[in-house]
Amino acid sequence: MNPGMQPTPPSTPRSALRPAPLLLRLLWLWLALAGAAAFWPALVTPWAAAGGTLLLLILFDAWVETRSPLPLVTRKFARSQHAQPVGVWREIALDIENPTRQRRFVSVFDHYPPGCDIDGLPLDFVLAPQSRATASYQLRFTARGEQVFAGIELLIDSPLRLTRRRVFIEESCVARVYPNFAAVAKYALLATDNRLSQIGIKRRRRRGEGLEFHQLREYREGDTPRQVDWKATARIGKMISREYQDERDQQIMFLLDCGNRMRAREEGALSHFDEALNALLLLAHVALRQGDAVGCISFGHDSRVIPAQKGHAMQNRLMECLFDLEPGTNTPDYRSAAAQLSRIAHKRSLVLILTNLRDEDDEELRAAVEVLRRRHLVLVANLRESAVQQMAARPVRDFDSGIETAAALAYLKARKTALERLKRSGAHILDVIPSALPIALVNRYLDFKRSGVL
């Protein structure tokens, strides 16, 4: 995997002086003295002397500050810098060193990528002479892809604290933000421990059934007569049964919708596209462990083609190819995506269409399914908006709420009709809310494996 943080060559820091709060207060006092001198001429001389003294102090303080070496600042990620997950709070430390022999008061602000959530900036340091200090803040990436940290800005108090030196340091770097694959890691751990039911994945293994022969074993109560190997039974002198396992070496192809509707976001949750991407990565992990090949085609905005391959390295390839993929503003072209998949997938495959269907898409999606089902098994995984269901279930209290409820019910009815037509055209349907998609998709895949329909 490529490094997640790519530093750029350092450049000369940009700096400028500005008045400090103490200087502004002294100027107000000097102006007040000027007002008093307008009424009492005897105060003119003290006023002029105070102004000259203050000017000399400002010039001396600014001269000393501009000749002082700048603090040395570095940014450090508390965890691995190679990959950052989206939507997870991470700690970022700023390390600052004072090379001078005087006490320094420094305020530090990190120019984090746009759109991130942060907590704890700016950071204030009181640095002893020739010392080093570290402080940290919390950051949460809200978008995947390459996120740029522009640099670090310092506000340094001068020795007399009359001025502040504003410095911008080009401590820029690029962070590669990936989907949060904690669910995949959790699944892998539970799969190892045979505790899959903890995340809702059901292992409904039916004794002796499957598609590929696995081994011979002694007959057990509950085995069906067709499992009995009569030749082995006659040879050994006791009942022997055949045991089967799920067929391997199958192919899974994802059609990932990157159209405008996948930009929808449930309140306080990930976008529909991010939920679909998480489901894709989780199912890819499961299928690769099952010995199947996995491939993907994105459509609707950014078209990327990843031919089907087997092996654990394919998981990393999917992550690298899809980590910066985002939905656009276009309407998805299902027919074009189906034609593209038909050109590269010559082997019968389980085709998973991850989308957010509308009733106006009914005709085009059915046409795409008709093309795909001639060779492949097609599952349309459709994301259901929970906000519309909540609107339809709300009690009607006035005319406006009645209009909203009626519109929601009409929308849900049209959507249900479109899904029924799609099912009659030969597609399997999975219609769930976005947060339930990853586990529901894995369970449906395992059902297909054990039923032998693929």
Side-chain angles (χ1 to χ4, degrees):
M1 187 177 291
N2 295 330
M5 306 298 298
Q6 303 170 355
T8 57
S11 60
T12 303
R14 304 192 302 269
S15 64
L17 287 175
R18 58 191 300 181
L22 176 59
L23 176 58
L24 295 177
R25 289 194 292 267
L26 291 175
L27 288 174
W28 277 112
L29 290 175
W30 183 68
L31 289 174
L33 183 60
F39 295 97
W40 293 283
L43 296 177
V44 172
T45 300
W47 169 76
T53 302
L54 183 58
L55 178 60
L56 290 175
L57 288 174
I58 294 172
L59 293 176
F60 173 77
D61 195 33
W63 178 78
V64 172
E65 174 56 37
T66 54
R67 291 178 61 88
S68 299
L70 291 174
L72 307 176
V73 185
T74 55
R75 181 192 298 110
K76 297 179 180 178
F77 279 70
R79 298 190 182 184
S80 171
Q81 299 180 358
H82 300 303
Q84 296 296 322
V86 66
V88 178
W89 286 100
R90 284 289 192 246
E91 183 179 278
I92 298 180
L94 296 176
D95 185 83
I96 184 167
E97 179 182 355
N98 177 18
T100 68
R101 296 182 179 180
Q102 57 190 7
R103 194 182 187 194
R104 308 304 301 268
F105 297 86
V106 183
S107 181
V108 182
F109 184 84
D110 194 4
H111 284 246
Y112 55 88
C116 292
D117 298 327
I118 59 106
D119 182 33
L121 284 179
L123 298 172
D124 296 320
F125 293 86
V126 180
L127 299 171
Q130 295 182 330
S131 66
R132 180 189 295 269
T134 301
S136 60
Y137 68 96
Q138 300 292 320
L139 179 141
R140 180 171 61 187
F141 293 101
T142 56
R144 290 169 290 98
E146 293 188 344
Q147 303 293 328
V148 179
F149 288 78
I152 299 175
E153 189 170 343
L154 309 179
L155 280 180
I156 309 169
D157 284 356
S158 59
L160 298 180
R161 308 193 73 175
L162 295 178
T163 61
R164 278 183 170 174
R165 189 179 182 184
R166 181 176 180 179
V167 181
F168 183 81
I169 301 175
E170 292 284 352
E171 183 71 15
S172 59
C173 60
V174 179
R176 293 168 68 89
V177 183
Y178 290 83
N180 181 16
F181 43 84
V184 176
K186 181 179 180 182
Y187 174 83
L189 176 62
L190 293 173
T192 302
D193 293 342
N194 293 318
R195 291 183 283 116
L196 305 181
S197 59
Q198 293 187 21
I199 56 173
I201 295 177
K202 305 170 185 177
R203 295 182 65 90
R204 295 190 291 268
R205 188 170 184 86
R206 296 166 291 185
R207 182 183 299 168
E209 296 185 5
L211 296 175
E212 290 187 348
F213 174 75
H214 180 49
Q215 64 183 2
L216 291 175
R217 57 165 174 79
E218 291 188 15
Y219 178 86
R220 298 172 187 167
E221 184 178 355
D223 286 350
T224 60
R226 71 181 182 89
Q227 291 177 240
V228 177
D229 189 313
W230 297 108
K231 291 183 179 180
T233 297
R235 185 169 59 253
I236 297 176
K238 58 181 178 181
M239 297 287 285
I240 299 296
S241 295
R242 299 187 188 95
E243 188 170 71
Y244 296 85
Q245 64 182 3
D246 295 334
E247 185 179 352
R248 303 168 69 86
D249 196 29
Q250 295 176 333
Q251 185 164 287
I252 315 300
M253 289 296 301
F254 292 96
L255 283 179
L256 180 60
D257 183 0
C258 299
N260 55 344
R261 300 189 191 103
M262 298 296 282
R263 298 161 64 94
R265 184 186 300 269
E266 304 288 331
E267 185 176 357
L270 297 175
S271 69
H272 286 195
F273 183 81
D274 280 314
E275 293 286 7
L277 187 56
N278 287 343
L280 184 156
L281 293 173
L282 177 58
L283 181 52
H285 174 80
V286 176
L288 291 169
R289 286 177 61 91
Q290 293 277 333
D292 293 338
V294 175
C296 178
I297 295 176
S298 62
F299 67 99
H301 172 60
D302 188 349
S303 179
R304 301 185 185 181
V305 179
I306 308 172
Q309 290 183 6
K310 298 196 296 183
H312 295 297
M314 187 59 180
Q315 186 78 43
N316 289 336
R317 186 182 178 198
L318 283 170
M319 194 76 72
E320 286 294 326
C321 291
L322 301 177
F323 84 97
D324 59 345
L325 187 62
E326 293 290 348
T329 57
N330 301 328
T331 301
D333 188 345
Y334 296 104
R335 298 190 192 190
S336 176
Q340 190 174 24
L341 186 143
S342 298
R343 287 193 296 268
I344 68 169
H346 304 293
K347 178 181 177 180
R348 177 172 168 81
S349 308
L350 171 59
V351 178
L352 302 170
I353 304 176
L354 306 178
T355 189
N356 188 339
L357 178 65
R358 296 291 192 274
D359 58 304
E360 59 265 28
D361 301 324
D362 179 27
E363 182 177 348
E364 183 174 348
L365 184 53
R366 279 193 290 122
V369 169
E370 288 289 345
V371 171
L372 293 171
R373 65 182 294 268
R374 295 170 189 167
R375 178 185 295 269
H376 309 291
L377 178 66
V378 182
L379 170 64
V380 177
N382 191 43
L383 298 177
R384 183 194 310 157
E385 296 95 337
S386 57
V388 178
Q389 293 179 298
Q390 294 169 3
M391 185 183 298
R394 283 188 311 197
V396 177
R397 293 187 175 90
D398 51 33
F399 180 77
D400 290 338
S401 64
I403 294 295
E404 291 178 353
T405 301
L409 290 172
Y411 169 80
L412 292 176
K413 182 179 179 180
R415 192 169 182 274
K416 181 179 179 181
T417 302
L419 290 175
E420 290 175 348
R421 290 174 180 168
L422 198 59
K423 188 174 181 179
R424 288 196 296 269
S425 69
H428 296 263
I429 304 296
L430 181 62
D431 187 39
V432 295
I433 60 175
S435 60
L437 178 63
I439 301 303
L441 199 60
V442 173
N443 281 327
R444 184 63 67 91
Y445 160 77
L446 293 176
D447 286 341
F448 285 147
K449 290 280 288 184
R450 293 177 185 121
S451 65
V453 295
L454 181 58

